[in-house]
Amino acid sequence: MELSFVMIKPDGVQRAIVGEVISRFEQKGFKIAAAKFMQISRELASEHYGEHEGKPFYEPLIEYITSGPVLAMVIEGENAIEAIRKLVGKTNPQDADPGTIRGDFAQMTGRNIIHASDSMESAVREISLFFRPDEIIEYERSDEPWLYE
Ligand SMILES: Nc1ncnc2c1ncn2[C@@H]1O[C@H](COP(=O)(O)OP(=O)(O)OP(=O)(O)O)[C@@H](O)[C@H]1O
Ligand SMILES: [Mg+2]
């Protein structure tokens, strides 16, 4: 089982699609291991998106991600990191396939409603930025025997 860091961005919260987005992860069989509704500080935003510092979209990205509350989550499941990136869809919603979250709910790269870790290293780094170890809950979903053989 793998853990991924997922965050519904301020536009996802303002557009009231938090429930819909969580439902997609639940329906696929993923388990919510941690969740925190919060407003991100500039400090945390610049740590989280540090890899993009210096790029033309960096400042607008920090403005965007700190502009309102977000829902930060740790999501667990088989091959979670890659599988969740597939459910989320391409960075530019215009390129994201219908059926993906960005493909179904967003228009622009700068308003693409959700973040998901892109590798094991990113997942470990991002989870530790947003959650203490004791905030990540281990439990079983009652349908797990029907999800995994
Ligand atoms: N050219 C761009 N113009 C505007 N915003 C951009 C652009 N490129 C990236 N961004 C913003 O920065 C975020 C991080 O970019 P990245 O290349 O890491 O894409 P991603 O991994 O698909 O997205 P995320 O890290 O948020 O999951 C994007 O999700 C988007 O919100
Ligand atoms: Mg990224």
Side-chain angles (χ1 to χ4, degrees):
M1 289 293 174
E2 212 168 75
L3 298 177
S4 183
F5 177 72
V6 175
M7 181 171 67
I8 303 178
K9 297 177 178 180
D11 47 342
V13 173
Q14 294 299 331
R15 292 181 52 217
I17 50 178
V18 168
E20 165 74 36
V21 171
I22 292 176
S23 282
R24 290 185 175 212
F25 295 124
E26 289 182 320
Q27 286 166 5
K28 175 69 178 169
F30 288 117
K31 186 158 65 182
I32 301 168
K36 198 179 281 186
F37 191 66
M38 62 190 287
Q39 183 138 7
I40 302 182
S41 66
R42 277 194 77 88
E43 291 66 38
L44 181 54
S46 50
E47 279 200 76
H48 175 67
Y49 279 129
E51 62 176 310
H52 298 304
E53 206 179 338
K55 295 181 186 170
F57 61 84
Y58 179 72
E59 264 309 313
L61 173 60
I62 299 298
E63 284 291 316
Y64 162 46
I65 218 69
T66 57
S67 65
V70 301
L71 184 69
M73 291 178 282
V74 178
I75 296 186
E76 181 180 353
E78 186 71 29
N79 193 31
I81 296 166
E82 189 188 344
I84 289 172
R85 290 284 289 192
K86 274 191 196 150
L87 291 181
V88 163
K90 296 236 173 79
T91 306
N92 182 343
Q94 299 292 340
D95 299 328
D97 290 330
T100 65
I101 293 167
R102 287 169 173 164
D104 288 348
F105 295 111
Q107 290 285 334
M108 298 190 67
T109 305
R111 294 289 183 270
N112 61 4
I113 70 167
I114 188 163
H115 162 83
S117 303
D118 61 7
S119 65
M120 182 72 82
E121 298 71 48
S122 308
V124 169
R125 191 181 70 84
E126 294 166 357
I127 289 169
S128 71
L129 272 180
F130 284 83
F131 292 96
R132 298 191 312 268
D134 68 300
E135 291 176 318
I136 298 160
I137 316 292
E138 269 184 54
Y139 65 101
E140 268 189 26
R141 259 177 68 155
S142 60
D143 58 358
E144 265 173 51
W146 300 102
L147 285 164
Y148 299 109
E149 58 178 4

